[in-house]
Amino acid sequence: MEEDASPPWPKDVLPTLVSFLPAEDAISVDACAKETQCVVRRRVLLTNVEDDGTRRGRMSLASPSNWDRYEAVPACHLAIGMISKVHSLRMTFSWSDQGWGNRKGMLSVVRNGSSAPGDYQPWGADVVVGREPAPHEQTSDSLEFHPRAGDEGYTIWLRVGGGGGHSIRVDNLQASCLEYRQSDNADARCLRAFVLRHPDDPEVQAALGAIDRLNARVDVRGGAVV
């Protein structure tokens, strides 16, 4: 007899519960049953990214021999849309630096209105995710983050590194976001904020317990109820 996969909570709070899960787990919950469908993935448009039909999603940056600036520069805007509807955003790409010498390259995602750090500088609070240093050999990589309610948008920043002779190349850059299926997720965002502020509240504890019970029933590799 097939086990009932209906969630043990009202469906209107499902987005809030799922918002605490990594993207892989959220997709698994969505795949469990019709009653637990809650997210859908869509492609994110990238501005100022080359696409010549052979090297899709390409960005590159190089420093002249006398370049001694250490700052990062904005390279690409992530056209997410309504951030309140987004569970998480994932980018995949391959990248490398000049292939020799010191490794200083960096790729990061920064909240609009701020900037990425220069060489040997600490990450600021507005750097939501990033990777450094860039490898000498072309390497596949990925980055993922959860957008924060109230943010106005995000920009990809590149840092080539100061001192001259450095470069960074990013190929096959693609971005996608995991969106909540509900057309209006404002209530869920408010509830999430309440949970974060009141982790010891009895109702919050009950909701977190429901997440634990669901995780015990979900096979993350295939999204199947076990």
Side-chain angles (χ1 to χ4, degrees):
M1 182 176 180
E2 185 176 354
E3 183 179 355
D4 181 14
S6 299
W9 53 76
K11 188 174 182 179
D12 58 354
V13 303
L14 184 59
T16 301
L17 300 180
V18 170
S19 70
F20 288 91
L21 300 177
E24 183 179 15
D25 291 352
I27 293 172
S28 295
V29 172
D30 180 86
C32 283
K34 181 178 180 179
E35 291 78 4
T36 62
Q37 290 181 347
C38 53
V39 291
V40 61
R41 188 171 291 281
R42 70 169 178 85
R43 187 173 179 180
V44 174
L45 296 178
L46 304 171
T47 63
N48 300 326
V49 176
E50 298 177 18
D51 186 350
D52 60 7
T54 57
R55 292 190 178 277
R56 299 186 58 188
R58 183 177 184 180
M59 298 186 298
S60 61
L61 184 66
S63 64
S65 59
N66 61 349
W67 197 56
D68 59 0
R69 295 179 58 194
Y70 291 75
E71 293 86 355
V73 297
C76 170
H77 178 66
L78 291 167
I80 297 178
M82 292 188 64
I83 292 178
S84 64
K85 295 182 179 180
V86 177
H87 173 276
S88 55
L89 187 139
R90 175 179 173 81
M91 300 188 307
T92 58
F93 53 92
S94 60
W95 69 324
S96 64
D97 65 5
Q98 67 282 350
W100 57 273
N102 292 330
R103 296 168 58 195
K104 298 183 178 181
M106 178 182 183
L107 186 151
S108 59
V109 178
V110 182
R111 294 185 179 95
N112 287 351
S114 190
S115 60
D119 285 357
Y120 310 115
Q121 293 181 350
W123 292 21
D126 289 330
V127 179
V128 297
V129 69
R131 190 84 73 225
E132 64 172 331
H136 282 334
E137 302 292 333
Q138 194 78 2
T139 304
S140 297
D141 210 334
S142 63
L143 293 172
E144 185 174 302
F145 68 96
H146 290 263
R148 187 180 66 178
D151 288 352
E152 295 183 356
Y154 303 93
T155 301
I156 297 175
W157 287 65
L158 293 180
R159 188 186 69 210
V160 62
H166 294 277
S167 66
I168 185 172
R169 191 185 78 183
V170 180
D171 286 327
N172 302 314
L173 176 64
Q174 297 184 30
S176 63
C177 65
L178 201 62
E179 286 189 340
Y180 297 102
R181 291 182 183 271
Q182 283 72 9
S183 60
D184 185 358
N185 195 48
D187 291 340
R189 286 288 178 176
C190 291
L191 185 53
R192 175 182 168 86
F194 175 83
V195 170
L196 294 175
R197 290 195 304 268
H198 306 283
D200 297 325
D201 185 275
E203 294 186 1
V204 170
Q205 290 296 317
L208 295 178
I211 291 177
D212 291 337
R213 290 193 297 274
L214 179 64
N215 285 338
R217 298 172 58 196
V218 173
D219 178 357
V220 174
R221 293 167 298 177
V225 176
V226 297

